[in-house]
Amino acid sequence: MTNRTTASASVLTSIDSICCRAGAGFADGQPLVTPIVQSTTFCRDGVDSRAEHQYSRVSNPTVSALEDVLGTLEGAPPAVCFSTGLAAETALLLALVKAGDHVVCGRAVYGGTTRLLQQVLAPLGIDTTFVDSTSPAAVAAAVTVRTRVIFVETPANPTLEVTDLRAIAAIARGAGARLVVDNTFLTPALQQPLELGADVTVTSTTKFIDGHSVAPGGSVVTRDNALLERIRFVRKSTGAIQTPQHAWLTLQGIKTLPLRLRAQSASAETLAQWLAGHPAVARAHYPSLGHAQLADAQHLGAHGAVLSFEVSGGLSAARRVAGALRLCRLVEHVGSVETLVTHPASMTHADLSPEARAAAGVRDGLLRLSVGLESIADIRDDLESALATITAEVAR
Ligand SMILES: *Cc1c(COP(=O)(O)O)cnc(C)c1O
């Protein structure tokens, strides 16, 4: 695995420390671990009190502790935290666009992002053009005078293609649009979109940041203070703030985020290379396999825990392999300490039309793996025995 760190080295040096001290108190007699402040409301000295916290739909001390950490990880504290990743995306888009505005979105983004844009925002008069964001020319060609937002996810889901954020940021600046990056797969530990020119990052903390499949959440980070205020206003007005318990669980998860991601990425890279040479596998996708140079320039020393691979034999073969896995658990999720497998065509991307699936690169034989912390030998053995159920047929 590559250890070259060509992007944001100054930020990287402190990320481990910021994470392991997440929410910790340092003063005499303070608890080492942030308490869960389980109160919906806060007392005031007088009717004009400007107390920091007044009502937990607007702000809560435990949520604020998480917001400080997540913002600090991107050099732009505080973040704004939400009940889920999609709540964060919804509030962010409502803060950025209005009827008549246009969005350019990468075609290989999270399925829920596509659904939000096509089935919730389009009927409100906000249209989206979906493009291959790995082609800056395609993004530039889709931009119109009405474009306010360019939304990309990199590495893409589930194809793991890498979008050149510096190139897309230049297009956004030229068009007077905001570049929003969904950083869920790499997190600030492995990719710093703001440093690469993005205006806003949005992250589903439900995945790697929590890391233990216990706390849904989402966060938005930007250096634009006016936008930050607007996002907080939308959150207060629509009511999708993070809960204190989930914020607390997320803070616990963050403490080991860089360690987990480095270990899980190392296993993912080795497994992707092994799968690429497996006789039952038509092709494997991982950032360093297809987009090595850009991936090295954009990622902080590792490429994430998610890989995907296409088994020979299409739909029935993929379903057979998914069903035969024992250690790797079949779920619709990424980012946990357990190895998780998804068959996107029948799970995460089942709502899309076959044409939309094809455009997003989701072939019938594709399986997505979110590599966990089990021993790599155990994961490989499990994959090997599941693939053996179709190898005999491939050989015939
Ligand atoms: C899961 C996910 C989301 C949505 O997050 P929720 O917390 O499930 O709402 C958005 N983007 C990506 C890349 C995701 O994996």
mmCIF file of all heavy atoms in Angstrom, residues 36-74:
data_model
loop_
_atom_site.group_PDB
_atom_site.id
_atom_site.type_symbol
_atom_site.label_atom_id
_atom_site.label_comp_id
_atom_site.label_asym_id
_atom_site.label_seq_id
_atom_site.Cartn_x
_atom_site.Cartn_y
_atom_site.Cartn_z
ATOM 1 N N ILE A 36 -23.266 13.122 28.107
ATOM 2 C CA ILE A 36 -24.462 13.256 27.272
ATOM 3 C C ILE A 36 -25.385 14.223 27.994
ATOM 4 O O ILE A 36 -25.829 13.938 29.105
ATOM 5 C CB ILE A 36 -25.189 11.907 27.095
ATOM 6 C CG1 ILE A 36 -24.238 10.853 26.539
ATOM 7 C CG2 ILE A 36 -26.419 12.075 26.212
ATOM 8 C CD1 ILE A 36 -24.863 9.460 26.427
ATOM 9 N N VAL A 37 -25.645 15.362 27.397
ATOM 10 C CA VAL A 37 -26.536 16.331 28.029
ATOM 11 C C VAL A 37 -27.958 16.062 27.541
ATOM 12 O O VAL A 37 -28.348 16.444 26.443
ATOM 13 C CB VAL A 37 -26.093 17.776 27.740
ATOM 14 C CG1 VAL A 37 -27.052 18.761 28.396
ATOM 15 C CG2 VAL A 37 -24.670 17.999 28.241
ATOM 16 N N GLN A 38 -28.684 15.319 28.399
ATOM 17 C CA GLN A 38 -29.995 14.822 28.015
ATOM 18 C C GLN A 38 -31.048 15.795 28.518
ATOM 19 O O GLN A 38 -31.755 15.535 29.488
ATOM 20 C CB GLN A 38 -30.181 13.431 28.642
ATOM 21 C CG GLN A 38 -31.394 12.687 28.187
ATOM 22 C CD GLN A 38 -31.253 12.233 26.749
ATOM 23 O OE1 GLN A 38 -30.415 11.402 26.441
ATOM 24 N NE2 GLN A 38 -32.068 12.797 25.876
ATOM 25 N N SER A 39 -31.136 16.953 27.863
ATOM 26 C CA SER A 39 -32.163 17.920 28.241
ATOM 27 C C SER A 39 -32.648 18.607 26.979
ATOM 28 O O SER A 39 -31.828 19.047 26.160
ATOM 29 C CB SER A 39 -31.575 18.953 29.216
ATOM 30 O OG SER A 39 -32.580 19.850 29.633
ATOM 31 N N THR A 40 -33.965 18.682 26.837
ATOM 32 C CA THR A 40 -34.468 19.326 25.614
ATOM 33 C C THR A 40 -34.350 20.836 25.697
ATOM 34 O O THR A 40 -34.354 21.515 24.679
ATOM 35 C CB THR A 40 -35.959 18.986 25.378
ATOM 36 O OG1 THR A 40 -36.666 19.268 26.570
ATOM 37 C CG2 THR A 40 -36.144 17.529 25.006
ATOM 38 N N THR A 41 -34.267 21.349 26.956
ATOM 39 C CA THR A 41 -34.297 22.806 27.059
ATOM 40 C C THR A 41 -33.357 23.278 28.157
ATOM 41 O O THR A 41 -32.875 22.478 28.967
ATOM 42 C CB THR A 41 -35.759 23.281 27.251
ATOM 43 O OG1 THR A 41 -35.830 24.684 26.990
ATOM 44 C CG2 THR A 41 -36.278 22.976 28.627
ATOM 45 N N PHE A 42 -33.051 24.560 28.192
ATOM 46 C CA PHE A 42 -32.018 25.107 29.081
ATOM 47 C C PHE A 42 -32.566 26.367 29.770
ATOM 48 O O PHE A 42 -33.310 27.143 29.161
ATOM 49 C CB PHE A 42 -30.756 25.419 28.263
ATOM 50 C CG PHE A 42 -30.202 24.182 27.594
ATOM 51 C CD1 PHE A 42 -30.683 23.763 26.357
ATOM 52 C CD2 PHE A 42 -29.255 23.396 28.237
ATOM 53 C CE1 PHE A 42 -30.209 22.595 25.758
ATOM 54 C CE2 PHE A 42 -28.777 22.214 27.643
ATOM 55 C CZ PHE A 42 -29.264 21.821 26.406
ATOM 56 N N CYS A 43 -32.176 26.548 31.028
ATOM 57 C CA CYS A 43 -32.707 27.664 31.823
ATOM 58 C C CYS A 43 -32.100 28.998 31.401
ATOM 59 O O CYS A 43 -30.992 29.050 30.898
ATOM 60 C CB CYS A 43 -32.419 27.420 33.303
ATOM 61 S SG CYS A 43 -33.181 25.910 33.892
ATOM 62 N N ARG A 44 -32.864 30.058 31.658
ATOM 63 C CA ARG A 44 -32.391 31.410 31.340
ATOM 64 C C ARG A 44 -32.458 32.270 32.593
ATOM 65 O O ARG A 44 -33.407 32.170 33.358
ATOM 66 C CB ARG A 44 -33.307 32.065 30.303
ATOM 67 C CG ARG A 44 -33.433 31.280 29.036
ATOM 68 C CD ARG A 44 -34.455 31.954 28.148
ATOM 69 N NE ARG A 44 -34.655 31.150 26.944
ATOM 70 C CZ ARG A 44 -34.863 31.671 25.747
ATOM 71 N NH1 ARG A 44 -34.928 32.969 25.594
ATOM 72 N NH2 ARG A 44 -35.037 30.895 24.718
ATOM 73 N N ASP A 45 -31.494 33.147 32.732
ATOM 74 C CA ASP A 45 -31.473 34.085 33.849
ATOM 75 C C ASP A 45 -32.550 35.148 33.739
ATOM 76 O O ASP A 45 -33.117 35.597 34.722
ATOM 77 C CB ASP A 45 -30.114 34.809 33.891
ATOM 78 C CG ASP A 45 -29.237 34.197 34.954
ATOM 79 O OD1 ASP A 45 -29.724 33.313 35.681
ATOM 80 O OD2 ASP A 45 -28.060 34.608 35.035
ATOM 81 N N GLY A 46 -32.806 35.572 32.505
ATOM 82 C CA GLY A 46 -33.828 36.598 32.281
ATOM 83 C C GLY A 46 -34.381 36.429 30.885
ATOM 84 O O GLY A 46 -33.857 35.625 30.108
ATOM 85 N N VAL A 47 -35.405 37.180 30.543
ATOM 86 C CA VAL A 47 -36.046 36.994 29.243
ATOM 87 C C VAL A 47 -35.109 37.349 28.090
ATOM 88 O O VAL A 47 -35.300 36.894 26.964
ATOM 89 C CB VAL A 47 -37.373 37.784 29.121
ATOM 90 C CG1 VAL A 47 -38.435 37.186 30.025
ATOM 91 C CG2 VAL A 47 -37.161 39.263 29.419
ATOM 92 N N ASP A 48 -34.102 38.186 28.350
ATOM 93 C CA ASP A 48 -33.175 38.568 27.287
ATOM 94 C C ASP A 48 -31.894 37.735 27.301
ATOM 95 O O ASP A 48 -30.930 38.083 26.631
ATOM 96 C CB ASP A 48 -32.802 40.053 27.420
ATOM 97 C CG ASP A 48 -34.016 40.938 27.218
ATOM 98 O OD1 ASP A 48 -34.862 40.568 26.370
ATOM 99 O OD2 ASP A 48 -34.127 41.976 27.909
ATOM 100 N N SER A 49 -31.898 36.630 28.075
ATOM 101 C CA SER A 49 -30.676 35.823 28.199
ATOM 102 C C SER A 49 -30.139 35.414 26.836
ATOM 103 O O SER A 49 -30.893 35.038 25.938
ATOM 104 C CB SER A 49 -30.997 34.563 29.014
ATOM 105 O OG SER A 49 -30.054 33.560 28.729
ATOM 106 N N ARG A 50 -28.818 35.486 26.710
ATOM 107 C CA ARG A 50 -28.168 35.040 25.466
ATOM 108 C C ARG A 50 -27.374 33.758 25.743
ATOM 109 O O ARG A 50 -26.303 33.557 25.186
ATOM 110 C CB ARG A 50 -27.227 36.124 24.933
ATOM 111 C CG ARG A 50 -27.896 37.412 24.570
ATOM 112 C CD ARG A 50 -27.722 37.719 23.065
ATOM 113 N NE ARG A 50 -28.620 38.792 22.672
ATOM 114 C CZ ARG A 50 -29.729 38.600 21.965
ATOM 115 N NH1 ARG A 50 -30.070 37.403 21.569
ATOM 116 N NH2 ARG A 50 -30.505 39.610 21.646
ATOM 117 N N ALA A 51 -27.894 32.924 26.646
ATOM 118 C CA ALA A 51 -27.197 31.681 26.984
ATOM 119 C C ALA A 51 -26.882 30.907 25.717
ATOM 120 O O ALA A 51 -27.667 30.916 24.764
ATOM 121 C CB ALA A 51 -28.062 30.836 27.914
ATOM 122 N N GLU A 52 -25.733 30.210 25.725
ATOM 123 C CA GLU A 52 -25.274 29.536 24.509
ATOM 124 C C GLU A 52 -26.302 28.507 24.013
ATOM 125 O O GLU A 52 -26.524 28.373 22.819
ATOM 126 C CB GLU A 52 -23.922 28.873 24.798
ATOM 127 C CG GLU A 52 -23.293 28.273 23.564
ATOM 128 C CD GLU A 52 -21.988 27.542 23.872
ATOM 129 O OE1 GLU A 52 -21.487 27.645 25.015
ATOM 130 O OE2 GLU A 52 -21.496 26.850 22.967
ATOM 131 N N HIS A 53 -26.891 27.776 24.956
ATOM 132 C CA HIS A 53 -27.866 26.765 24.562
ATOM 133 C C HIS A 53 -29.219 27.110 25.160
ATOM 134 O O HIS A 53 -29.314 27.462 26.331
ATOM 135 C CB HIS A 53 -27.420 25.382 25.044
ATOM 136 C CG HIS A 53 -26.080 24.996 24.474
ATOM 137 N ND1 HIS A 53 -25.910 24.654 23.155
ATOM 138 C CD2 HIS A 53 -24.848 24.941 25.041
ATOM 139 C CE1 HIS A 53 -24.626 24.391 22.925
ATOM 140 N NE2 HIS A 53 -23.961 24.560 24.056
ATOM 141 N N GLN A 54 -30.275 27.017 24.353
ATOM 142 C CA GLN A 54 -31.608 27.357 24.832
ATOM 143 C C GLN A 54 -32.614 26.240 24.595
ATOM 144 O O GLN A 54 -33.493 26.006 25.403
ATOM 145 C CB GLN A 54 -32.063 28.659 24.165
ATOM 146 C CG GLN A 54 -31.063 29.791 24.457
ATOM 147 C CD GLN A 54 -31.578 31.174 24.134
ATOM 148 O OE1 GLN A 54 -32.453 31.341 23.291
ATOM 149 N NE2 GLN A 54 -31.046 32.178 24.819
ATOM 150 N N TYR A 55 -32.457 25.545 23.460
ATOM 151 C CA TYR A 55 -33.431 24.510 23.102
ATOM 152 C C TYR A 55 -32.718 23.519 22.197
ATOM 153 O O TYR A 55 -32.013 23.927 21.277
ATOM 154 C CB TYR A 55 -34.630 25.167 22.387
ATOM 155 C CG TYR A 55 -35.799 24.251 22.148
ATOM 156 C CD1 TYR A 55 -36.444 23.610 23.202
ATOM 157 C CD2 TYR A 55 -36.270 24.020 20.862
ATOM 158 C CE1 TYR A 55 -37.524 22.760 22.978
ATOM 159 C CE2 TYR A 55 -37.351 23.176 20.628
ATOM 160 C CZ TYR A 55 -37.967 22.548 21.692
ATOM 161 O OH TYR A 55 -39.033 21.711 21.473
ATOM 162 N N SER A 56 -32.887 22.214 22.440
ATOM 163 C CA SER A 56 -32.048 21.226 21.760
ATOM 164 C C SER A 56 -32.377 20.998 20.281
ATOM 165 O O SER A 56 -31.650 20.269 19.609
ATOM 166 C CB SER A 56 -32.024 19.901 22.531
ATOM 167 O OG SER A 56 -31.191 20.044 23.680
ATOM 168 N N ARG A 57 -33.421 21.611 19.754
ATOM 169 C CA ARG A 57 -33.585 21.592 18.290
ATOM 170 C C ARG A 57 -32.626 22.569 17.634
ATOM 171 O O ARG A 57 -32.277 22.445 16.470
ATOM 172 C CB ARG A 57 -35.042 21.912 17.867
ATOM 173 C CG ARG A 57 -35.169 22.122 16.357
ATOM 174 C CD ARG A 57 -36.585 21.997 15.814
ATOM 175 N NE ARG A 57 -37.588 22.625 16.643
ATOM 176 C CZ ARG A 57 -37.767 23.947 16.746
ATOM 177 N NH1 ARG A 57 -37.010 24.787 16.045
ATOM 178 N NH2 ARG A 57 -38.697 24.429 17.535
ATOM 179 N N VAL A 58 -32.204 23.568 18.413
ATOM 180 C CA VAL A 58 -31.308 24.603 17.880
ATOM 181 C C VAL A 58 -29.851 24.271 18.192
ATOM 182 O O VAL A 58 -28.982 24.347 17.314
ATOM 183 C CB VAL A 58 -31.693 25.982 18.463
ATOM 184 C CG1 VAL A 58 -30.810 27.069 17.883
ATOM 185 C CG2 VAL A 58 -33.171 26.272 18.210
ATOM 186 N N SER A 59 -29.573 23.877 19.426
ATOM 187 C CA SER A 59 -28.209 23.461 19.781
ATOM 188 C C SER A 59 -28.247 22.716 21.102
ATOM 189 O O SER A 59 -29.185 22.888 21.894
ATOM 190 C CB SER A 59 -27.274 24.671 19.882
ATOM 191 O OG SER A 59 -27.545 25.409 21.060
ATOM 192 N N ASN A 60 -27.232 21.881 21.293
ATOM 193 C CA ASN A 60 -27.132 21.058 22.502
ATOM 194 C C ASN A 60 -25.641 20.878 22.779
ATOM 195 O O ASN A 60 -24.860 20.704 21.842
ATOM 196 C CB ASN A 60 -27.828 19.703 22.233
ATOM 197 C CG ASN A 60 -27.549 18.690 23.316
ATOM 198 O OD1 ASN A 60 -26.472 18.104 23.371
ATOM 199 N ND2 ASN A 60 -28.510 18.477 24.182
ATOM 200 N N PRO A 61 -25.213 20.907 24.051
ATOM 201 C CA PRO A 61 -23.775 20.851 24.341
ATOM 202 C C PRO A 61 -23.064 19.612 23.798
ATOM 203 O O PRO A 61 -21.929 19.706 23.331
ATOM 204 C CB PRO A 61 -23.714 20.890 25.876
ATOM 205 C CG PRO A 61 -25.008 21.515 26.296
ATOM 206 C CD PRO A 61 -26.021 21.124 25.268
ATOM 207 N N THR A 62 -23.716 18.453 23.832
ATOM 208 C CA THR A 62 -23.055 17.239 23.326
ATOM 209 C C THR A 62 -22.904 17.314 21.810
ATOM 210 O O THR A 62 -21.875 16.936 21.249
ATOM 211 C CB THR A 62 -23.845 15.979 23.735
ATOM 212 O OG1 THR A 62 -24.184 16.077 25.118
ATOM 213 C CG2 THR A 62 -23.038 14.720 23.505
ATOM 214 N N VAL A 63 -23.939 17.837 21.162
ATOM 215 C CA VAL A 63 -23.873 17.994 19.705
ATOM 216 C C VAL A 63 -22.793 19.022 19.348
ATOM 217 O O VAL A 63 -22.006 18.834 18.412
ATOM 218 C CB VAL A 63 -25.252 18.404 19.140
ATOM 219 C CG1 VAL A 63 -25.177 18.623 17.636
ATOM 220 C CG2 VAL A 63 -26.295 17.348 19.480
ATOM 221 N N SER A 64 -22.720 20.114 20.141
ATOM 222 C CA SER A 64 -21.692 21.130 19.878
ATOM 223 C C SER A 64 -20.286 20.555 20.015
ATOM 224 O O SER A 64 -19.384 20.922 19.256
ATOM 225 C CB SER A 64 -21.835 22.313 20.839
ATOM 226 O OG SER A 64 -23.069 22.954 20.622
ATOM 227 N N ALA A 65 -20.095 19.646 20.978
ATOM 228 C CA ALA A 65 -18.769 19.029 21.142
ATOM 229 C C ALA A 65 -18.397 18.259 19.878
ATOM 230 O O ALA A 65 -17.262 18.336 19.380
ATOM 231 C CB ALA A 65 -18.759 18.107 22.364
ATOM 232 N N LEU A 66 -19.363 17.529 19.333
ATOM 233 C CA LEU A 66 -19.114 16.790 18.082
ATOM 234 C C LEU A 66 -18.843 17.763 16.932
ATOM 235 O O LEU A 66 -17.946 17.547 16.114
ATOM 236 C CB LEU A 66 -20.329 15.905 17.758
ATOM 237 C CG LEU A 66 -20.281 15.169 16.418
ATOM 238 C CD1 LEU A 66 -19.108 14.191 16.364
ATOM 239 C CD2 LEU A 66 -21.598 14.421 16.156
ATOM 240 N N GLU A 67 -19.606 18.848 16.885
ATOM 241 C CA GLU A 67 -19.434 19.829 15.801
ATOM 242 C C GLU A 67 -18.051 20.466 15.841
ATOM 243 O O GLU A 67 -17.440 20.715 14.801
ATOM 244 C CB GLU A 67 -20.529 20.894 15.882
ATOM 245 C CG GLU A 67 -21.895 20.296 15.533
ATOM 246 C CD GLU A 67 -23.051 21.267 15.669
ATOM 247 O OE1 GLU A 67 -22.945 22.246 16.454
ATOM 248 O OE2 GLU A 67 -24.073 21.039 14.996
ATOM 249 N N ASP A 68 -17.543 20.704 17.045
ATOM 250 C CA ASP A 68 -16.189 21.277 17.148
ATOM 251 C C ASP A 68 -15.163 20.320 16.583
ATOM 252 O O ASP A 68 -14.268 20.715 15.838
ATOM 253 C CB ASP A 68 -15.849 21.588 18.616
ATOM 254 C CG ASP A 68 -16.560 22.847 19.084
ATOM 255 O OD1 ASP A 68 -16.962 23.655 18.222
ATOM 256 O OD2 ASP A 68 -16.720 23.011 20.310
ATOM 257 N N VAL A 69 -15.290 19.050 16.952
ATOM 258 C CA VAL A 69 -14.303 18.066 16.491
ATOM 259 C C VAL A 69 -14.378 17.893 14.975
ATOM 260 O O VAL A 69 -13.356 17.949 14.274
ATOM 261 C CB VAL A 69 -14.522 16.710 17.196
ATOM 262 C CG1 VAL A 69 -13.604 15.646 16.612
ATOM 263 C CG2 VAL A 69 -14.298 16.848 18.697
ATOM 264 N N LEU A 70 -15.590 17.713 14.451
ATOM 265 C CA LEU A 70 -15.714 17.464 13.001
ATOM 266 C C LEU A 70 -15.254 18.676 12.190
ATOM 267 O O LEU A 70 -14.646 18.522 11.131
ATOM 268 C CB LEU A 70 -17.157 17.086 12.645
ATOM 269 C CG LEU A 70 -17.578 15.691 13.100
ATOM 270 C CD1 LEU A 70 -19.070 15.470 12.839
ATOM 271 C CD2 LEU A 70 -16.761 14.612 12.367
ATOM 272 N N GLY A 71 -15.532 19.876 12.666
ATOM 273 C CA GLY A 71 -15.069 21.075 11.959
ATOM 274 C C GLY A 71 -13.560 21.216 12.048
ATOM 275 O O GLY A 71 -12.887 21.532 11.066
ATOM 276 N N THR A 72 -12.997 20.944 13.234
ATOM 277 C CA THR A 72 -11.550 21.049 13.428
ATOM 278 C C THR A 72 -10.811 20.077 12.518
ATOM 279 O O THR A 72 -9.739 20.391 12.002
ATOM 280 C CB THR A 72 -11.192 20.777 14.911
ATOM 281 O OG1 THR A 72 -11.910 21.725 15.706
ATOM 282 C CG2 THR A 72 -9.707 20.934 15.176
ATOM 283 N N LEU A 73 -11.384 18.893 12.314
ATOM 284 C CA LEU A 73 -10.741 17.901 11.428
ATOM 285 C C LEU A 73 -10.576 18.431 10.006
ATOM 286 O O LEU A 73 -9.764 17.925 9.247
ATOM 287 C CB LEU A 73 -11.551 16.598 11.404
ATOM 288 C CG LEU A 73 -11.400 15.710 12.637
ATOM 289 C CD1 LEU A 73 -12.348 14.520 12.555
ATOM 290 C CD2 LEU A 73 -9.957 15.232 12.773
ATOM 291 N N GLU A 74 -11.380 19.426 9.628
ATOM 292 C CA GLU A 74 -11.246 19.994 8.282
ATOM 293 C C GLU A 74 -10.735 21.433 8.339
ATOM 294 O O GLU A 74 -10.841 22.171 7.362
ATOM 295 C CB GLU A 74 -12.594 19.939 7.559
ATOM 296 C CG GLU A 74 -13.086 18.506 7.433
ATOM 297 C CD GLU A 74 -14.187 18.358 6.401
ATOM 298 O OE1 GLU A 74 -14.024 18.839 5.275
ATOM 299 O OE2 GLU A 74 -15.218 17.766 6.757
#
